[in-house]
Amino acid sequence: MSTRGLSARLSPRLSALAASVALLTGLAAPAASADAPPAGGPNAQAAPTVNLATNPGFELPSPDLADWGSVPGWNCTGGPAEASVSATAPHAGAAALTVTPANADSTGECAQTVAVQPNTTYTASAWVRGSFVYLGATSTGKDVAPAWTETTGGGWQRLSTRFTTGPNARSIRLYVHGWYQQGPFSVDDVRVDGPAPAPSVAAGSVPTSDKVVFFTVDDGWQRTPEAERFIADHRLPITAFPLPMPAATDPAFFRRITAVPGSSVQDHSVSHTDLSTLPLERQQIEICDARDSMTRLFGTAPTFFRPPYFSWNADTLQAAANCGIRTVLTADADFSWGATNIWHPGLLQPGDVVLMHWTDTLAADLQRALAAADAAGLKPAGLVDYLR
């Protein structure tokens, strides 16, 4: 390419960079406390401040079955071709994120969704190294000026921006990125400091007097045409809890079997690990990464989480809430693999949640569950119509 051609190509990028610098130079950080008094009145006790970022130091391991080369907890636009975890000269700890934009059209953005409380002040910060590195938040309900630096001079520099969420904000999108053709940059020790969302609610059934029952199907490894036909022929609302790998292998199947109104695709973790054996930070990766996978594949963020093996603890409830999950759902009946187990006396009852699995017996399991519901005078319904 000639010098003139290269200059013509760079000119719009450099003009945009100059405009961005001029704009940001004139922006002040949003006021933090003036429009966000503590919930409950001026004398209310402030909630504890915690770091809500997922994998903030880039040191937590990838869950089993995660995409090769992924950065746990983060979605990077260029994928593993641009973003990786490096042990070379981190700011602290043993690792940092290193991003090398792959081409002239990439800023190398990495982002994550963080659950927050409305009308609440948070501070986002990160240590960065490189030229023209940006840190910011969107979906806050209000305009937020990103923090940025022209250059860190080869060392590490802390970026920070403070924002107050709007009245309807339940999550924000935290991002870091570089600028076009400004070279690689590194990020470490990310923080989103503020009060955590209230823990998710644990439930095994739905509180309702409506004569309904809820069919849920887990995992997703064995997808049979017989089960698909049975669901379509009987117009069954199904709440699917697939793992990311089988869901990504055949997303069209899960779209078809959740086509009946009231159906949905929800969160079942990344690796089907017993979460009660993991610390909160790793549970958060399992739940948030699965949430992100389901959102990318099906366009709607899950709001229910099915813990593998029905195993959970208090950390699970908080980790799920930090991922925007409202309900950690088990079940009170199991019709998987030819079983007929109702874990309370008598027939199925209104609000019961029935567990099944995507197996080669699912068509027969669904038929047996439907017969049990009929015997109790109940009809299948969708969880999304009852759990808010």
Side-chain angles (χ1 to χ4, degrees):
M1 179 182 295
S2 68
T3 303
R4 178 178 297 178
L6 178 60
S7 176
R9 182 173 183 181
L10 288 179
S11 180
R13 299 294 193 205
L14 295 176
S15 297
L17 176 57
S20 177
V21 169
L23 174 64
L24 293 174
T25 301
L27 283 175
S33 58
D35 56 350
N43 297 320
Q45 185 175 1
T49 295
V50 296
N51 183 10
L52 294 172
T54 302
N55 194 17
F58 304 98
E59 299 188 26
L60 296 177
S62 296
D64 293 339
L65 307 183
D67 294 338
W68 293 111
S70 66
V71 179
W74 293 83
N75 297 304
C76 299
T77 55
E82 289 190 348
S84 62
V85 174
S86 171
T88 302
H91 171 258
L97 175 70
T98 297
V99 182
T100 303
N103 55 58
D105 296 319
S106 175
T107 63
E109 182 181 83
C110 291
Q112 63 175 256
T113 299
V114 182
V116 294
Q117 296 184 26
N119 295 319
T120 304
T121 299
Y122 293 87
T123 300
S125 64
W127 288 86
V128 302
R129 183 174 58 199
S131 298
F132 289 101
V133 187
Y134 293 74
L135 165 76
T138 60
S139 303
T140 64
K142 301 180 180 182
D143 291 335
V144 178
W148 65 283
T149 180
E150 183 174 354
T151 179
T152 65
W156 287 95
Q157 178 180 332
R158 184 175 182 266
L159 300 180
S160 178
T161 184
R162 200 174 188 204
F163 59 89
T164 299
T165 56
N168 299 314
R170 299 289 176 180
S171 65
I172 60 101
R173 181 177 181 272
L174 176 74
Y175 67 84
V176 291
H177 65 71
W179 199 256
Y180 304 102
Q181 300 188 45
Q182 296 301 306
F185 64 93
S186 298
V187 184
D188 203 359
D189 298 320
V190 180
R191 301 190 66 87
V192 179
D193 288 316
S200 300
V201 174
S205 61
V206 176
T208 181
S209 59
D210 292 353
K211 293 186 177 300
V212 294
V213 67
F214 304 94
F215 289 173
T216 66
V217 190
D218 287 9
D219 296 351
W221 294 111
Q222 293 178 279
R223 303 172 295 276
T224 67
E226 294 81 9
E228 183 179 346
R229 281 196 300 271
F230 191 90
I231 291 168
D233 290 347
H234 292 82
R235 298 284 296 165
L236 292 179
I238 295 294
T239 303
F241 289 91
L243 299 169
M245 184 173 284
T249 299
D250 195 358
F253 174 86
F254 291 99
R255 293 190 190 100
R256 292 193 302 270
I257 57 87
T258 56
V260 176
S263 300
S264 64
V265 178
Q266 301 293 335
D267 191 325
H268 193 36
S269 82
V270 172
S271 66
H272 210 279
T273 295
D274 179 348
L275 296 191
S276 68
T277 67
L278 301 179
L280 188 151
E281 294 81 4
R282 290 188 61 187
Q283 293 195 44
Q284 190 164 320
I285 283 179
E286 286 275 356
I287 300 170
C288 285
D289 276 6
R291 171 207 61 192
D292 291 344
S293 293
M294 297 304 106
T295 305
R296 285 194 300 271
L297 289 169
F298 306 109
T300 302
T303 54
F304 318 136
F305 172 64
R306 167 66 54 75
Y309 314 109
F310 289 2
S311 181
W312 58 272
N313 56 21
D315 282 347
T316 311
L317 300 183
Q318 189 59 62
N322 293 352
C323 297
I325 299 293
R326 296 193 297 262
T327 305
V328 173
L329 186 71
T330 56
D332 41 21
D334 184 2
F335 280 67
S336 303
W337 293 292
T340 303
N341 296 317
I342 301 173
W343 297 319
H344 57 66
L347 303 176
L348 289 173
Q349 298 174 1
D352 276 354
V353 175
V354 178
L355 169 69
M356 288 171 273
H357 287 80
W358 299 104
T359 67
D360 56 4
T361 68
L362 180 57
D365 296 340
L366 285 164
Q367 186 169 23
R368 197 170 57 261
L370 186 58
D374 289 341
L378 305 173
K379 298 293 184 184
L383 281 171
V384 290
D385 295 329
Y386 281 81
L387 288 178
R388 299 296 182 183

